[in-house]
Amino acid sequence: AAVIAGRACARAAARFTQMRPIAGIGLQVQFGTRAMSSSELDGTKTLGQLKDAFAGKCMSKVRYTYMAQQADVEGHIDAASVFRGVSESEENHAMGHLEFLQETGDPVSSQPISNTKEMLESAIISEHHDSSTMYPEFARIAREEGLEDAAEWFDTLAIAEAIHLRRFQGLLEDLPNM
């Protein structure tokens, strides 16, 4: 079964152009030619699946990084190493999903992301939402539920997201000068 899976991965990898190692399994996957036109994906279940898979892989990346840190604290160096390797692999998977989605837009903001200007505009939309709507609402609800520590955490994140927003806005303003 492992040989068959390896061959399937190798066939899939052969379609792409830029090589990136997948940590922990010794396979290199090529990236760079996956973008599909918006018209190919619009209205398909595959578009939703790519967005869901992107979100899931991003969460897995952070979860496994967290687990690696905890394994380090507990002295389980081998487990930490495996968690880190799989975390890197999950990041590569997320990047591949995002490459497919490039022409359809950012899976978070739905804005185009084919160049730096568009990516900054997309990031600004996301950070504005997070800082002015999402985290303040999360904090309000946490307070209503009597969870002040969670509310304070959300307030802190709203401030951090506002800082991110200002950084992206500054970069967008300076982009012609870069």
Side-chain angles (χ1 to χ4, degrees), residues 2-174:
V3 172
I4 293 171
R7 286 185 195 143
C9 287
R11 280 193 307 274
R15 293 189 301 245
F16 310 112
T17 59
Q18 180 185 352
M19 298 296 284
R20 288 189 195 145
I22 295 182
I25 63 172
L27 176 67
Q28 293 208 357
V29 175
Q30 300 175 2
F31 292 87
T33 60
R34 292 185 186 198
M36 299 181 79
S37 72
S38 177
S39 62
E40 286 180 277
L41 287 172
D42 282 347
T44 66
K45 290 180 182 178
T46 299
L47 176 59
Q49 291 168 330
L50 283 165
K51 288 180 178 185
D52 289 348
F54 173 74
K57 293 302 163 183
C58 290
M59 286 188 283
S60 292
K61 160 72 175 162
V62 174
R63 285 177 41 244
Y64 294 149
T65 299
Y66 176 86
M67 291 173 187
Q69 292 171 349
Q70 185 60 35
D72 277 335
V73 168
E74 294 174 6
H76 301 293
I77 305 307
D78 289 342
S81 177
V82 170
F83 279 127
R84 278 191 188 82
V86 174
S87 173
E88 291 174 21
S89 181
E90 297 293 21
E91 180 179 9
N92 285 332
H93 298 168
M95 294 291 282
H97 297 320
L98 194 54
E99 287 177 5
F100 271 115
L101 294 167
Q102 181 179 359
E103 295 299 318
T104 64
D106 183 332
V108 175
S109 71
S110 298
Q111 298 299 305
I113 54 169
S114 59
N115 60 54
T116 301
K117 180 180 183 288
E118 289 178 349
M119 288 184 279
L120 287 168
E121 290 169 343
S122 178
I124 287 167
I125 289 168
S126 296
E127 297 298 329
H128 181 266
H129 172 264
D130 294 354
S131 65
S132 66
T133 305
M134 184 181 79
Y135 283 125
E137 177 68 4
F138 288 3
R140 182 190 65 74
I141 292 168
R143 282 192 176 86
E144 286 176 3
E145 296 175 335
L147 301 169
E148 189 58 33
D149 286 348
E152 288 177 12
W153 171 243
F154 292 138
D155 287 338
T156 300
L157 293 174
I159 292 166
E161 301 299 336
I163 292 167
H164 300 164
L165 171 62
R166 287 191 299 274
R167 291 180 72 193
F168 286 134
Q169 288 170 328
L171 284 169
L172 183 60
E173 289 170 12
D174 291 341

